[in-house]
Amino acid sequence: MWEKAWKDRGDTLITRMKKAGIEPARAFDQKAKSFNEQSFDAEGRKRTARIIGWLEGQGVRFENVPVLDVGAASGVFTVPFAERGARVTAVESSLPLVELLKENIAGFPEDQVQIVPEPFEEINVQARRWSEAFDLVFVSMCPVLHDWESVEKVLQCARKFCYISMPAGSTEHSLVNEIWPLITGKPFGATYTELGYLLHLLYLKGYAYESLITRETKTTEVPAEAALQEIMNLLRSHGVPADEQNRKTAADYVERAYPSGRVTVRQSGRYGKVLIRLQDQHMYG
């Protein structure tokens, strides 16, 4: 029942992306540079260190072990994994992010990080000999997971641990909260997310796992045009037409509220982190 409910659900992240005219494999192409900067600034490094610290506290080790990083982006986790001695296979489909990833791993030995510039959905795990090939499979906030079948494909690659993170509630986006009422006449409503399906199915299928829910906040400053493009994509993904009238309403607001041409965007929300144990099922910490 839970498998069918997840598969039949009509408002998954990947579905909302496609409604907005965004191909999931190319979702970060336009903002690759800014995403890379945010990943490696002081705030981004602290966020990464907190997550890796939690993994290490649960018994995950990185020294000289194979790690599969699915949706590696520009290396936000690939780089610190490699710094800790892991041999990383980094899967990333966005070519602008792949180019930045290449720059960010340039200081490592040639064979320590292998980049696979393909969508994970198109990879044949058995043909690549990836079945149980990695001590840790790491999938952080990546839309490749949209039903139980996609989770099974990820789990198939893991020998010891599999880490999955997903939103655990609606992301609060300051610009959406400001503009949504102007266009729809009502406040932006929260929507539930897919973490519940994952946790229920892991429980029902007998997996051992730890889960953690945290609230994260991120503040960025972006050019007005980039902020406007982002808000139009978000409107489309929630079923609101991105027509000329709505674009003008949004553009007029941005121009009026942010006359400097720089828009401060605050994003916050609850996020779920799940560490699945495939071998050692004892408690740590």
Side-chain angles (χ1 to χ4, degrees), residues 145-251:
L145 299 179
H146 51 84
D147 57 19
W148 179 251
E149 187 178 340
S150 59
V151 174
E152 284 187 317
K153 182 175 180 180
V154 165
L155 289 171
Q156 184 182 348
C157 300
R159 181 163 58 233
K160 292 185 179 180
F161 297 99
C162 181
Y163 171 91
I164 294 172
S165 68
M166 289 180 167
S170 291
T171 300
E172 297 170 17
H173 190 290
S174 60
L175 203 53
V176 172
N177 290 340
E178 293 165 25
I179 292 175
W180 186 273
L182 302 177
I183 291 176
T184 67
K186 53 188 178 182
F188 183 70
T191 58
Y192 65 95
T193 52
E194 299 169 74
L195 182 66
Y197 296 103
L198 174 66
L199 292 177
H200 272 83
L201 285 161
L202 288 172
Y203 164 68
L204 290 169
K205 291 175 179 291
Y207 284 94
Y209 61 92
E210 278 89 16
S211 62
L212 177 69
I213 306 292
T214 60
R215 178 169 285 280
E216 308 282 346
T217 301
K218 179 173 68 172
T219 301
T220 56
E221 188 179 85
V222 297
E225 185 57 38
L228 181 60
Q229 184 60 49
E230 184 173 356
I231 195 67
M232 298 314 292
N233 286 340
L234 287 167
L235 289 173
R236 275 196 298 267
S237 70
H238 288 284
V240 176
D243 54 28
E244 281 305 312
Q245 181 179 343
N246 287 342
R247 184 179 181 85
K248 185 177 187 307
T249 299

Side-chain angles (χ1 to χ4, degrees), residues 25-37:
R26 300 283 177 262
F28 280 85
D29 282 7
Q30 291 186 328
K31 51 185 177 182
K33 185 178 179 182
S34 62
F35 183 81
N36 179 62
E37 291 169 356

